[in-house]
Short mmCIF file of all heavy atoms in Angstrom, two decimals:
data_model
loop_
_atom_site.label_atom_id
_atom_site.label_comp_id
_atom_site.label_asym_id
_atom_site.label_seq_id
_atom_site.Cartn_x
_atom_site.Cartn_y
_atom_site.Cartn_z
N GLY A 91 -7.81 11.70 -16.71
CA GLY A 91 -8.98 11.45 -15.87
C GLY A 91 -8.84 10.13 -15.04
O GLY A 91 -9.71 9.78 -14.29
N LYS A 92 -7.81 9.43 -15.24
CA LYS A 92 -7.59 8.17 -14.44
C LYS A 92 -6.93 8.48 -13.12
O LYS A 92 -6.51 9.61 -12.89
CB LYS A 92 -6.76 7.21 -15.27
CG LYS A 92 -7.57 6.64 -16.50
CD LYS A 92 -6.71 5.65 -17.31
CE LYS A 92 -7.56 5.24 -18.51
NZ LYS A 92 -6.78 4.36 -19.42
N PRO A 93 -6.83 7.47 -12.21
CA PRO A 93 -6.26 7.77 -10.90
C PRO A 93 -4.95 8.54 -10.95
O PRO A 93 -4.77 9.47 -10.21
CB PRO A 93 -6.07 6.35 -10.29
CG PRO A 93 -7.16 5.55 -10.93
CD PRO A 93 -7.29 6.09 -12.33
N VAL A 94 -4.04 8.11 -11.80
CA VAL A 94 -2.84 8.92 -12.08
C VAL A 94 -3.08 9.73 -13.35
O VAL A 94 -2.96 9.22 -14.45
CB VAL A 94 -1.60 7.95 -12.26
CG1 VAL A 94 -0.33 8.79 -12.55
CG2 VAL A 94 -1.44 7.11 -11.02
N ASP A 95 -3.55 10.97 -13.04
CA ASP A 95 -4.17 11.76 -14.11
C ASP A 95 -3.10 12.51 -14.95
O ASP A 95 -2.45 13.38 -14.43
CB ASP A 95 -5.14 12.76 -13.45
CG ASP A 95 -6.02 13.43 -14.49
OD1 ASP A 95 -5.75 13.31 -15.68
OD2 ASP A 95 -7.05 14.01 -14.05
N THR A 96 -3.01 12.10 -16.23
CA THR A 96 -1.95 12.77 -17.06
C THR A 96 -2.39 14.16 -17.48
O THR A 96 -1.63 14.83 -18.15
CB THR A 96 -1.71 11.89 -18.29
OG1 THR A 96 -2.93 11.54 -18.89
CG2 THR A 96 -0.97 10.63 -17.90
N GLU A 97 -3.61 14.59 -17.09
CA GLU A 97 -3.97 15.99 -17.28
C GLU A 97 -3.20 16.92 -16.38
O GLU A 97 -2.93 18.07 -16.68
CB GLU A 97 -5.50 16.21 -17.04
CG GLU A 97 -6.42 15.37 -17.95
CD GLU A 97 -6.59 15.99 -19.31
OE1 GLU A 97 -6.01 17.05 -19.62
OE2 GLU A 97 -7.37 15.36 -20.13
N SER A 98 -2.86 16.37 -15.22
CA SER A 98 -2.12 17.20 -14.29
C SER A 98 -0.67 16.70 -14.08
O SER A 98 0.20 17.52 -13.76
CB SER A 98 -2.81 17.34 -12.92
OG SER A 98 -3.61 16.22 -12.62
N PHE A 99 -0.42 15.43 -14.27
CA PHE A 99 0.92 14.92 -14.03
C PHE A 99 1.65 14.56 -15.29
O PHE A 99 1.04 14.26 -16.30
CB PHE A 99 0.84 13.70 -13.12
CG PHE A 99 0.47 14.02 -11.67
CD1 PHE A 99 -0.83 13.66 -11.20
CD2 PHE A 99 1.34 14.61 -10.81
CE1 PHE A 99 -1.19 13.92 -9.89
CE2 PHE A 99 1.02 14.90 -9.50
CZ PHE A 99 -0.27 14.58 -9.07
N PHE A 100 2.98 14.53 -15.18
CA PHE A 100 3.85 14.07 -16.26
C PHE A 100 4.40 12.74 -15.78
O PHE A 100 5.13 12.68 -14.79
CB PHE A 100 4.96 15.10 -16.46
CG PHE A 100 6.05 14.69 -17.42
CD1 PHE A 100 5.77 14.62 -18.78
CD2 PHE A 100 7.35 14.40 -17.00
CE1 PHE A 100 6.76 14.28 -19.66
CE2 PHE A 100 8.35 14.05 -17.93
CZ PHE A 100 8.06 13.97 -19.24
N VAL A 101 4.05 11.68 -16.43
CA VAL A 101 4.33 10.33 -16.00
C VAL A 101 5.46 9.68 -16.78
O VAL A 101 5.48 9.77 -18.02
CB VAL A 101 3.09 9.44 -16.03
CG1 VAL A 101 3.39 8.05 -15.51
CG2 VAL A 101 1.94 10.07 -15.23
N ILE A 102 6.42 9.10 -16.06
CA ILE A 102 7.52 8.42 -16.76
C ILE A 102 7.53 6.98 -16.40
O ILE A 102 7.47 6.59 -15.24
CB ILE A 102 8.89 9.04 -16.31
CG1 ILE A 102 8.93 10.56 -16.51
CG2 ILE A 102 10.04 8.35 -17.02
CD1 ILE A 102 10.16 11.20 -15.90
N GLY A 103 7.57 6.13 -17.41
CA GLY A 103 7.80 4.72 -17.23
C GLY A 103 9.13 4.35 -17.87
O GLY A 103 9.44 4.90 -18.90
N LEU A 104 9.87 3.50 -17.27
CA LEU A 104 11.13 3.11 -17.91
C LEU A 104 11.35 1.61 -17.80
O LEU A 104 10.79 0.95 -16.99
CB LEU A 104 12.35 3.90 -17.36
CG LEU A 104 13.03 3.37 -16.08
CD1 LEU A 104 14.33 4.03 -15.93
CD2 LEU A 104 12.15 3.65 -14.85
N ASN A 105 12.25 1.13 -18.67
CA ASN A 105 12.71 -0.23 -18.55
C ASN A 105 13.99 -0.21 -17.79
O ASN A 105 14.93 0.53 -18.16
CB ASN A 105 12.93 -0.80 -19.98
CG ASN A 105 13.30 -2.26 -19.98
OD1 ASN A 105 13.89 -2.75 -20.92
ND2 ASN A 105 12.89 -2.99 -18.97
N ASN A 106 14.05 -0.95 -16.69
CA ASN A 106 15.22 -0.90 -15.83
C ASN A 106 16.48 -1.47 -16.48
O ASN A 106 16.40 -2.31 -17.43
CB ASN A 106 14.99 -1.68 -14.56
CG ASN A 106 14.14 -0.88 -13.56
OD1 ASN A 106 14.11 0.38 -13.61
ND2 ASN A 106 13.44 -1.55 -12.65
N LEU A 107 17.59 -1.04 -16.00
CA LEU A 107 18.89 -1.59 -16.45
C LEU A 107 18.88 -3.11 -16.22
O LEU A 107 18.46 -3.61 -15.10
CB LEU A 107 19.99 -0.90 -15.59
CG LEU A 107 21.47 -1.24 -16.01
CD1 LEU A 107 21.74 -0.62 -17.35
CD2 LEU A 107 22.39 -0.69 -14.95
N GLY A 108 19.34 -3.84 -17.19
CA GLY A 108 19.29 -5.29 -17.08
C GLY A 108 18.05 -5.90 -17.74
O GLY A 108 17.91 -7.10 -17.84
N GLY A 109 17.14 -4.99 -18.17
CA GLY A 109 15.93 -5.44 -18.77
C GLY A 109 16.09 -5.97 -20.21
O GLY A 109 17.21 -6.04 -20.72
N CYS A 110 14.95 -6.34 -20.78
CA CYS A 110 15.10 -6.90 -22.17
C CYS A 110 14.05 -6.23 -23.11
O CYS A 110 13.56 -6.85 -24.01
CB CYS A 110 14.88 -8.43 -22.08
SG CYS A 110 13.33 -8.91 -21.28
N HIS A 111 13.75 -5.02 -22.78
CA HIS A 111 12.83 -4.26 -23.65
C HIS A 111 13.41 -2.97 -24.13
O HIS A 111 12.73 -1.96 -24.29
CB HIS A 111 11.47 -4.05 -22.95
CG HIS A 111 10.71 -5.30 -22.73
ND1 HIS A 111 10.79 -6.03 -21.53
CD2 HIS A 111 9.88 -6.01 -23.52
CE1 HIS A 111 10.06 -7.13 -21.67
NE2 HIS A 111 9.47 -7.12 -22.83
N GLY A 112 14.71 -3.00 -24.37
CA GLY A 112 15.37 -1.82 -24.94
C GLY A 112 16.48 -1.25 -24.11
O GLY A 112 17.43 -0.74 -24.62
N SER A 113 16.27 -1.27 -22.78
CA SER A 113 17.38 -0.79 -21.92
C SER A 113 18.50 -1.79 -21.99
O SER A 113 18.27 -3.01 -22.31
CB SER A 113 16.89 -0.65 -20.48
OG SER A 113 15.96 0.45 -20.40
N THR A 114 19.69 -1.31 -21.66
CA THR A 114 20.87 -2.21 -21.79
C THR A 114 20.69 -3.38 -20.76
O THR A 114 20.40 -3.17 -19.58
CB THR A 114 22.16 -1.42 -21.46
OG1 THR A 114 22.27 -0.45 -22.44
CG2 THR A 114 23.38 -2.33 -21.54
N GLY A 115 20.86 -4.58 -21.29
CA GLY A 115 20.73 -5.77 -20.53
C GLY A 115 21.55 -6.91 -21.04
O GLY A 115 22.28 -6.66 -22.02
N PRO A 116 21.39 -8.11 -20.55
CA PRO A 116 22.23 -9.23 -20.97
C PRO A 116 22.12 -9.56 -22.48
O PRO A 116 23.04 -10.04 -23.05
CB PRO A 116 21.71 -10.41 -20.13
CG PRO A 116 21.01 -9.76 -18.99
CD PRO A 116 20.46 -8.49 -19.48
N SER A 117 20.98 -9.22 -23.05
CA SER A 117 20.80 -9.55 -24.50
C SER A 117 21.33 -8.41 -25.41
O SER A 117 21.38 -8.56 -26.63
CB SER A 117 19.35 -9.83 -24.81
OG SER A 117 18.56 -8.75 -24.42
N SER A 118 21.77 -7.29 -24.77
CA SER A 118 22.29 -6.18 -25.58
C SER A 118 23.78 -6.50 -25.96
O SER A 118 24.45 -7.20 -25.21
CB SER A 118 22.31 -4.86 -24.77
OG SER A 118 21.08 -4.72 -24.10
N PRO A 119 24.23 -5.90 -27.06
CA PRO A 119 25.59 -6.12 -27.41
C PRO A 119 26.58 -5.41 -26.48
O PRO A 119 26.35 -4.23 -26.15
CB PRO A 119 25.72 -5.55 -28.84
CG PRO A 119 24.58 -4.69 -29.00
CD PRO A 119 23.45 -5.16 -28.09
N ASP A 120 27.58 -6.11 -26.01
CA ASP A 120 28.60 -5.48 -25.20
C ASP A 120 29.55 -4.63 -26.16
O ASP A 120 30.08 -5.23 -27.13
CB ASP A 120 29.46 -6.62 -24.53
CG ASP A 120 30.57 -6.04 -23.69
OD1 ASP A 120 30.90 -4.86 -23.80
OD2 ASP A 120 31.17 -6.88 -22.94
N PRO A 121 29.66 -3.38 -25.97
CA PRO A 121 30.44 -2.58 -26.91
C PRO A 121 31.83 -3.06 -27.12
O PRO A 121 32.47 -2.83 -28.10
CB PRO A 121 30.46 -1.15 -26.31
CG PRO A 121 29.58 -1.22 -25.12
CD PRO A 121 29.12 -2.59 -24.85
N LYS A 122 32.35 -3.73 -26.10
CA LYS A 122 33.76 -4.21 -26.19
C LYS A 122 33.89 -5.36 -27.17
O LYS A 122 34.96 -5.57 -27.79
CB LYS A 122 34.22 -4.67 -24.81
CG LYS A 122 34.52 -3.53 -23.92
CD LYS A 122 35.18 -3.99 -22.61
CE LYS A 122 35.20 -2.86 -21.56
NZ LYS A 122 34.51 -3.23 -20.35
N THR A 123 32.84 -6.19 -27.31
CA THR A 123 32.97 -7.43 -28.12
C THR A 123 32.02 -7.40 -29.27
O THR A 123 32.17 -8.15 -30.24
CB THR A 123 32.63 -8.66 -27.26
OG1 THR A 123 31.28 -8.58 -26.84
CG2 THR A 123 33.57 -8.78 -26.04
N GLY A 124 30.99 -6.56 -29.19
CA GLY A 124 29.98 -6.56 -30.20
C GLY A 124 28.93 -7.68 -30.09
O GLY A 124 28.04 -7.79 -30.81
N LYS A 125 29.24 -8.60 -29.13
CA LYS A 125 28.35 -9.74 -28.92
C LYS A 125 27.50 -9.46 -27.64
O LYS A 125 27.88 -8.69 -26.78
CB LYS A 125 29.15 -11.00 -28.70
CG LYS A 125 29.85 -11.44 -29.93
CD LYS A 125 30.67 -12.73 -29.64
CE LYS A 125 31.54 -13.12 -30.80
NZ LYS A 125 32.79 -13.74 -30.36
N PRO A 126 26.35 -10.17 -27.54
CA PRO A 126 25.51 -9.94 -26.36
C PRO A 126 26.29 -10.24 -25.05
O PRO A 126 27.11 -11.14 -25.03
CB PRO A 126 24.38 -10.97 -26.51
CG PRO A 126 24.32 -11.30 -27.95
CD PRO A 126 25.75 -11.16 -28.47
N TYR A 127 26.00 -9.41 -24.08
CA TYR A 127 26.68 -9.57 -22.76
C TYR A 127 26.54 -11.02 -22.23
O TYR A 127 27.51 -11.59 -21.71
CB TYR A 127 26.11 -8.62 -21.72
CG TYR A 127 26.55 -7.22 -21.78
CD1 TYR A 127 25.74 -6.24 -22.37
CD2 TYR A 127 27.70 -6.78 -21.23
CE1 TYR A 127 26.12 -4.91 -22.43
CE2 TYR A 127 28.11 -5.47 -21.17
CZ TYR A 127 27.30 -4.55 -21.83
OH TYR A 127 27.70 -3.23 -21.83
N GLY A 128 25.37 -11.51 -22.32
CA GLY A 128 25.14 -12.90 -21.76
C GLY A 128 25.55 -12.97 -20.33
O GLY A 128 25.21 -12.11 -19.54
N LYS A 129 26.35 -14.00 -19.99
CA LYS A 129 26.69 -14.20 -18.59
C LYS A 129 27.60 -13.12 -17.99
O LYS A 129 27.80 -13.05 -16.83
CB LYS A 129 27.31 -15.59 -18.41
CG LYS A 129 28.68 -15.72 -19.00
CD LYS A 129 29.21 -17.11 -18.79
CE LYS A 129 30.51 -17.34 -19.57
NZ LYS A 129 30.80 -18.76 -19.75
N THR A 130 28.17 -12.27 -18.88
CA THR A 130 29.09 -11.24 -18.34
C THR A 130 28.32 -10.02 -17.88
O THR A 130 28.92 -9.10 -17.30
CB THR A 130 30.14 -10.77 -19.41
OG1 THR A 130 29.45 -10.15 -20.50
CG2 THR A 130 30.89 -12.02 -19.91
N PHE A 131 27.02 -9.97 -18.14
CA PHE A 131 26.27 -8.78 -17.66
C PHE A 131 26.22 -8.81 -16.11
O PHE A 131 25.87 -9.80 -15.53
CB PHE A 131 24.88 -8.72 -18.22
CG PHE A 131 24.24 -7.36 -18.06
CD1 PHE A 131 24.44 -6.39 -19.04
CD2 PHE A 131 23.44 -7.04 -16.99
CE1 PHE A 131 23.89 -5.11 -18.87
CE2 PHE A 131 22.90 -5.82 -16.81
CZ PHE A 131 23.14 -4.82 -17.74
N PRO A 132 26.57 -7.68 -15.49
CA PRO A 132 26.66 -7.68 -14.00
C PRO A 132 25.29 -7.80 -13.35
O PRO A 132 24.25 -7.45 -13.92
CB PRO A 132 27.30 -6.32 -13.74
CG PRO A 132 27.00 -5.48 -14.89
CD PRO A 132 26.91 -6.38 -16.08
N PHE A 133 25.34 -8.28 -12.12
CA PHE A 133 24.12 -8.27 -11.28
C PHE A 133 23.66 -6.78 -11.02
O PHE A 133 24.49 -5.92 -10.86
CB PHE A 133 24.41 -8.94 -9.91
CG PHE A 133 24.40 -10.44 -10.04
CD1 PHE A 133 25.57 -11.12 -10.36
CD2 PHE A 133 23.27 -11.17 -9.87
CE1 PHE A 133 25.60 -12.50 -10.52
CE2 PHE A 133 23.26 -12.55 -9.99
CZ PHE A 133 24.44 -13.21 -10.30
N VAL A 134 22.37 -6.62 -10.96
CA VAL A 134 21.84 -5.27 -10.69
C VAL A 134 20.94 -5.41 -9.43
O VAL A 134 20.38 -6.43 -9.19
CB VAL A 134 21.03 -4.69 -11.85
CG1 VAL A 134 21.92 -4.19 -12.92
CG2 VAL A 134 20.02 -5.68 -12.36
N THR A 135 20.84 -4.32 -8.69
CA THR A 135 20.05 -4.27 -7.50
C THR A 135 19.03 -3.10 -7.57
O THR A 135 19.17 -2.25 -8.43
CB THR A 135 20.91 -4.02 -6.23
OG1 THR A 135 21.52 -2.74 -6.38
CG2 THR A 135 21.98 -5.12 -6.06
N VAL A 136 18.06 -3.12 -6.70
CA VAL A 136 17.10 -2.07 -6.62
C VAL A 136 17.78 -0.69 -6.47
O VAL A 136 17.45 0.29 -7.11
CB VAL A 136 16.15 -2.30 -5.45
CG1 VAL A 136 15.32 -1.04 -5.15
CG2 VAL A 136 15.23 -3.50 -5.76
N GLU A 137 18.83 -0.68 -5.62
CA GLU A 137 19.57 0.60 -5.43
C GLU A 137 20.28 1.06 -6.73
O GLU A 137 20.29 2.23 -6.97
CB GLU A 137 20.60 0.41 -4.32
CG GLU A 137 20.02 0.23 -2.92
CD GLU A 137 19.55 -1.17 -2.61
OE1 GLU A 137 19.68 -2.08 -3.51
OE2 GLU A 137 18.96 -1.42 -1.59
N ASP A 138 20.79 0.06 -7.49
CA ASP A 138 21.41 0.48 -8.75
C ASP A 138 20.38 1.09 -9.68
O ASP A 138 20.62 2.06 -10.41
CB ASP A 138 21.99 -0.80 -9.50
CG ASP A 138 23.15 -1.39 -8.70
OD1 ASP A 138 23.82 -0.61 -7.99
OD2 ASP A 138 23.34 -2.58 -8.80
N TRP A 139 19.21 0.52 -9.73
CA TRP A 139 18.13 1.04 -10.58
C TRP A 139 17.80 2.46 -10.14
O TRP A 139 17.61 3.36 -10.96
CB TRP A 139 16.88 0.19 -10.49
CG TRP A 139 17.03 -1.16 -11.17
CD1 TRP A 139 17.88 -1.42 -12.21
CD2 TRP A 139 16.34 -2.36 -10.88
NE1 TRP A 139 17.75 -2.72 -12.61
CE2 TRP A 139 16.77 -3.34 -11.78
CE3 TRP A 139 15.37 -2.73 -9.98
CZ2 TRP A 139 16.37 -4.61 -11.78
CZ3 TRP A 139 14.90 -4.04 -9.96
CH2 TRP A 139 15.40 -4.96 -10.87
N VAL A 140 17.68 2.68 -8.86
CA VAL A 140 17.37 4.03 -8.38
C VAL A 140 18.39 4.99 -8.88
O VAL A 140 18.12 6.09 -9.38
CB VAL A 140 17.29 4.06 -6.81
CG1 VAL A 140 17.21 5.50 -6.29
CG2 VAL A 140 16.02 3.28 -6.37
N GLU A 141 19.67 4.58 -8.82
CA GLU A 141 20.77 5.45 -9.31
C GLU A 141 20.59 5.81 -10.76
O GLU A 141 20.77 6.96 -11.18
CB GLU A 141 22.12 4.71 -9.06
CG GLU A 141 23.34 5.55 -9.39
CD GLU A 141 23.38 6.93 -8.73
OE1 GLU A 141 22.88 7.06 -7.59
OE2 GLU A 141 23.86 7.92 -9.36
N THR A 142 20.27 4.79 -11.60
CA THR A 142 20.04 5.09 -13.03
C THR A 142 18.82 5.97 -13.24
O THR A 142 18.82 6.84 -14.11
CB THR A 142 19.85 3.76 -13.88
OG1 THR A 142 18.65 3.11 -13.38
CG2 THR A 142 21.02 2.84 -13.73
N GLN A 143 17.80 5.78 -12.38
CA GLN A 143 16.61 6.58 -12.48
C GLN A 143 16.91 8.05 -12.10
O GLN A 143 16.38 8.99 -12.68
CB GLN A 143 15.45 6.01 -11.64
CG GLN A 143 14.94 4.67 -12.22
CD GLN A 143 14.24 3.84 -11.15
OE1 GLN A 143 14.10 4.18 -10.01
NE2 GLN A 143 13.79 2.66 -11.58
N VAL A 144 17.80 8.19 -11.16
CA VAL A 144 18.25 9.56 -10.72
C VAL A 144 18.89 10.23 -11.92
O VAL A 144 18.64 11.41 -12.19
CB VAL A 144 19.23 9.48 -9.53
CG1 VAL A 144 19.97 10.78 -9.34
CG2 VAL A 144 18.47 9.13 -8.23
N ARG A 145 19.70 9.49 -12.62
CA ARG A 145 20.42 10.05 -13.76
C ARG A 145 19.41 10.44 -14.90
O ARG A 145 19.61 11.47 -15.55
CB ARG A 145 21.45 9.09 -14.32
CG ARG A 145 22.60 8.93 -13.33
CD ARG A 145 23.65 7.98 -13.82
NE ARG A 145 24.75 7.82 -12.89
CZ ARG A 145 25.88 7.26 -13.17
NH1 ARG A 145 26.10 6.84 -14.44
NH2 ARG A 145 26.84 7.15 -12.24
N LEU A 146 18.44 9.61 -15.05
CA LEU A 146 17.39 9.93 -16.04
C LEU A 146 16.65 11.22 -15.64
O LEU A 146 16.41 12.07 -16.45
CB LEU A 146 16.41 8.75 -16.23
CG LEU A 146 15.31 8.97 -17.24
CD1 LEU A 146 15.85 9.17 -18.66
CD2 LEU A 146 14.30 7.82 -17.25
N ALA A 147 16.33 11.32 -14.33
CA ALA A 147 15.63 12.51 -13.82
C ALA A 147 16.52 13.74 -14.05
O ALA A 147 16.03 14.80 -14.47
CB ALA A 147 15.34 12.36 -12.32
N ASP A 148 17.79 13.63 -13.77
CA ASP A 148 18.73 14.71 -14.01
C ASP A 148 18.69 15.16 -15.47
O ASP A 148 18.67 16.34 -15.81
CB ASP A 148 20.18 14.34 -13.63
CG ASP A 148 20.35 14.22 -12.12
OD1 ASP A 148 19.48 14.76 -11.38
OD2 ASP A 148 21.34 13.61 -11.66
N ARG A 149 18.72 14.14 -16.34
CA ARG A 149 18.72 14.41 -17.80
C ARG A 149 17.45 15.21 -18.19
O ARG A 149 17.53 16.08 -19.05
CB ARG A 149 18.74 13.06 -18.52
CG ARG A 149 18.67 13.10 -20.01
CD ARG A 149 19.98 13.43 -20.68
NE ARG A 149 21.15 12.67 -20.30
CZ ARG A 149 21.63 11.59 -20.95
NH1 ARG A 149 21.04 11.16 -22.03
NH2 ARG A 149 22.72 10.99 -20.57
N LEU A 150 16.32 14.85 -17.49
CA LEU A 150 15.07 15.52 -17.87
C LEU A 150 14.90 16.82 -17.06
O LEU A 150 13.85 17.47 -17.17
CB LEU A 150 13.90 14.58 -17.61
CG LEU A 150 13.91 13.29 -18.47
CD1 LEU A 150 12.84 12.33 -18.02
CD2 LEU A 150 13.70 13.58 -19.98
N GLY A 151 15.85 17.11 -16.21
CA GLY A 151 15.75 18.36 -15.45
C GLY A 151 14.79 18.29 -14.28
O GLY A 151 14.36 19.31 -13.70
N ILE A 152 14.50 17.07 -13.83
CA ILE A 152 13.53 16.91 -12.72
C ILE A 152 14.30 16.78 -11.45
O ILE A 152 15.02 15.81 -11.18
CB ILE A 152 12.67 15.65 -12.96
CG1 ILE A 152 11.78 15.84 -14.20
CG2 ILE A 152 11.79 15.36 -11.71
CD1 ILE A 152 11.28 14.57 -14.77
N GLU A 153 14.18 17.78 -10.58
CA GLU A 153 14.88 17.81 -9.34
C GLU A 153 14.27 16.88 -8.34
O GLU A 153 14.94 16.15 -7.62
CB GLU A 153 14.95 19.23 -8.80
CG GLU A 153 16.11 19.53 -7.92
CD GLU A 153 16.18 21.00 -7.59
OE1 GLU A 153 16.29 21.82 -8.51
OE2 GLU A 153 16.06 21.33 -6.41
N ALA A 154 12.95 16.96 -8.25
CA ALA A 154 12.21 16.09 -7.28
C ALA A 154 10.97 15.55 -7.97
O ALA A 154 10.27 16.34 -8.69
CB ALA A 154 11.89 16.84 -6.05
#
Side-chain angles (χ1 to χ4, degrees):
Chain A
K92 289 181 184 174
V94 178
D95 193 345
T96 50
E97 298 281 359
S98 27
F99 290 107
F100 174 71
V101 180
I102 304 171
L104 85 163
N105 185 205
N106 281 336
L107 187 67
C110 54
H111 291 93
S113 292
T114 299
S117 57
S118 315
D120 179 347
K122 285 188 192 121
T123 63
K125 292 181 188 147
Y127 281 100
K129 69 180 171 199
T130 66
F131 195 85
F133 282 88
V134 283
T135 63
V136 167
E137 291 81 2
D138 295 330
W139 288 334
V140 169
E141 185 53 35
T142 61
Q143 290 159 0
V144 164
R145 292 180 180 194
L146 180 63
D148 288 343
R149 177 80 51 97
L150 299 171
I152 296 159
E153 204 173 301

